[in-house]
Amino acid sequence: MSERQDLQGRHIVLGLSGGIACYKSAELVRLLTRHGADVRVVMTPAAESFITAVTLQALSGQPVVTSQWDSRDHNNMPHINLGRWADAIVIAPASADLMAQLAQGRADELLSLLCLARPRERCALMVAPAMNREMWSHPATERNVAQLRADGALILGPGCGDQACGETGDGRMLEPADLLDALIAHFQPKVLAGKRLLITAGPTFEPIDPVRGITNHSSGKMGFAMARAAAEAGAQVTLVAGPVHQPTPQGVRRIDVMTAQQMYDAVLPEAKAHDVFVATAAVADWRPATLNEHKIKKEGKKSAPLFELTENPDILAAVAGLPQPPFCVGFAAESQDLLDHARAKLLRKKLPMIVGNLGPATFGRDDNALLVVDAQSHYPLPADGSAADKLTLARALMADIARRLG
Ligand code: CTP
């Protein structure tokens, strides 16, 4: 199994209330266990009308509990035992009725009873609503959601889209992979709480004519991992992305751009409002001096066309040169002499920190080996000089940035 074990050792109670989205919860159990969590499933009687306990028992490898009168526990108190065991209770799907019960502090079946009895300071309650759009937008549901938030519950979603009833709108349960990411994020240390991070990612594309351009092999994976790690660490994140096919990490504000100039134009006005600027983008250093309005044709040409290139603005140097710059972190993509080149860029761009990596060896890959360089010192990440997946590296870099911010 190649997944990171981000939930290793975590105890998760997954609560199902009645809703067609119960079928997605089977997949959620699989994802949670594959990422290392121990999962105990609790079902309301309504949930049992949508999916059987047998399925969830098989997937979680643990007996499913459906009643507060379940006598298998020695003290006959599953509502106490499960709440003391759990690091988090995730209710997915959470029906309108279950949320109403939770908002009122009712406890007439096991799942709501368990939520009421849980030790709130150490066991988070995460609620993934799933219902018809009219039910979701009803003032009664809005009141209940507001009450649950005020009581400390985390509301995950809902998403928007086609509903089982044939209507379209808000109220779909988030996809299992999104719920997994939210849970993983919940357990990450909030070392950047209250901080605002601006991050560039991906390549830029410099058009030659309407169908061709200059670009590079950057996949954006490292920058998107940085954005996710920053959001997981509690920061407000703005991600300015070149043309890449990467999903936007949860909670991240994304601005899509194409060219280096557009990236510069998007970043500069934002920079002042951020505490940290991380430039992971592989910005094209040059662009064609003129843009051909129409496709350059081969026909009738005796030799290949010649292009004049003009230099793009250096986004990182411009931000680092602002009167009160954010804490600026550069990335140096090199093909050799990593330390020397990284240090030279640190000095030239006046940065407190730069992260070196061997570009050709990392572009498009899921893992990377980094060299973190500042004016006095440098160290490899991972510490043993091997490679690690980009999200693991990004989390370590965020912890380092947080330490430097003090
Ligand atoms: N960078 C930038 N704007 C540019 C060029 C680079 O913001 N026009 C940033 C990159 O995002 C990276 C750092 O500067 O954080 C170093 O980029 P790199 O391409 O390695 O270095 P260059 O300054 O372009 O130097 P060279 O290409 O000569 O190695």
Side-chain angles (χ1 to χ4, degrees):
M1 204 70 50
S2 65
E3 276 105 350
R4 271 182 326 277
Q5 297 287 290
D6 284 332
L7 294 175
Q8 187 66 48
R10 299 293 183 186
H11 293 174
I12 309 298
V13 167
L14 176 62
L16 279 68
S17 57
I20 188 67
C22 279
Y23 80 93
K24 293 187 189 175
S25 303
E27 174 67 9
L28 180 57
V29 175
R30 253 184 102 69
L31 289 175
L32 293 172
T33 55
R34 268 169 43 188
H35 284 76
D38 288 330
V39 182
R40 297 291 309 268
V41 176
V42 172
M43 299 172 75
T44 66
E48 287 188 276
S49 299
F50 288 92
I51 188 169
T52 69
V54 176
T55 303
L56 297 160
Q57 176 168 352
L59 292 172
S60 65
Q62 296 286 343
V64 170
V65 197
T66 57
S67 160
Q68 68 267 44
W69 311 120
D70 188 321
S71 60
R72 283 174 292 184
D73 283 6
H74 61 90
N75 60 356
N76 213 329
M77 295 185 195
H79 68 292
I80 297 293
N81 303 338
L82 283 166
R84 303 302 176 274
W85 173 84
D87 296 310
I89 300 174
V90 183
I91 304 184
S95 65
D97 180 57
L98 189 92
M99 292 200 305
Q101 288 188 51
L102 295 179
Q104 289 179 20
R106 298 173 66 91
D108 54 5
E109 52 73 45
L110 177 60
L111 185 52
S112 50
L113 173 61
L114 166 65
C115 291
L116 194 66
R118 81 187 199 285
R120 294 187 304 285
E121 69 289 351
R122 55 159 299 275
C123 175
L125 175 61
M126 303 167 86
V127 176
M131 66 197 71
N132 167 268
R133 66 192 174 99
E134 298 289 1
M135 293 166 75
W136 174 250
S137 65
H138 194 285
T141 305
E142 287 185 349
R143 275 197 306 276
N144 292 333
V145 170
Q147 187 60 57
L148 287 176
R149 283 205 171 99
D151 291 347
L154 219 70
I155 308 294
L156 307 176
C160 181
D162 293 342
Q163 305 203 306
C165 53
E167 298 180 0
T168 303
D170 287 335
R172 279 172 61 92
M173 189 173 88
L174 289 187
E175 294 305 317
D178 295 328
L179 295 175
L180 172 76
D181 286 353
L183 198 55
I184 290 173
H186 167 74
F187 288 116
Q188 290 301 312
K190 304 298 169 215
V191 292
L192 290 171
K195 301 291 181 201
R196 292 154 304 171
L197 268 80
L198 177 63
I199 299 172
T200 63
T204 63
F205 181 92
E206 312 297 329
I208 295 169
D209 67 18
V211 296
R212 307 182 179 93
I214 301 171
T215 188
N216 58 63
H217 287 305
S218 168
S219 63
K221 283 181 181 170
M222 191 66 218
F224 276 65
M226 293 294 278
R228 174 173 169 179
E232 286 179 346
Q236 272 179 48
V237 184
T238 307
L239 175 64
V240 181
V244 287
H245 300 284
Q246 300 288 344
T248 311
Q250 274 174 28
V252 168
R253 180 165 79 99
R254 174 174 179 168
I255 302 171
D256 284 314
V257 298
M258 190 67 82
T259 66
Q261 186 62 51
Q262 288 169 358
M263 192 174 271
Y264 178 93
D265 293 341
V267 164
L268 263 287
E270 293 281 347
K272 284 187 282 296
H274 288 79
D275 304 295
V276 178
F277 176 50
V278 184
T280 64
V283 184
D285 291 318
W286 298 281
R287 65 175 183 274
T290 53
L291 173 64
N292 288 278
E293 194 186 339
H294 296 290
K295 187 181 175 197
I296 303 169
K297 304 293 286 178
K298 211 161 51 175
E299 219 176 283
K301 293 227 169 40
K302 290 209 178 60
S303 59
L306 290 174
F307 296 111
E308 199 187 321
L309 296 176
T310 186
E311 197 170 338
N312 275 324
D314 190 315
I315 303 163
L316 178 56
V319 173
L322 289 172
Q324 286 177 320
F327 182 87
C328 287
V329 182
F331 268 70
E334 307 297 342
S335 59
Q336 57 176 349
D337 301 333
L338 196 48
L339 179 57
D340 289 348
H341 285 307
R343 244 297 136 63
K345 276 179 197 172
L346 179 95
L347 296 173
R348 180 156 43 87
K349 302 195 188 203
K350 299 189 174 57
L351 309 174
M353 172 177 175
I354 195 160
V355 182
N357 61 166
L358 292 170
T362 177
F363 277 179
R365 293 180 56 107
D366 289 328
D367 54 6
N368 203 350
L370 306 177
L371 188 67
V372 182
V373 180
D374 63 24
Q376 290 83 35
S377 60
H378 64 273
Y379 68 92
L381 247 187
D384 62 4
S386 63
D389 73 274
K390 289 180 175 175
L391 183 56
T392 300
L393 294 169
R395 287 177 181 152
L397 288 172
M398 289 304 156
D400 184 335
I401 291 169
R403 275 193 299 275
R404 291 172 200 258
L405 291 177

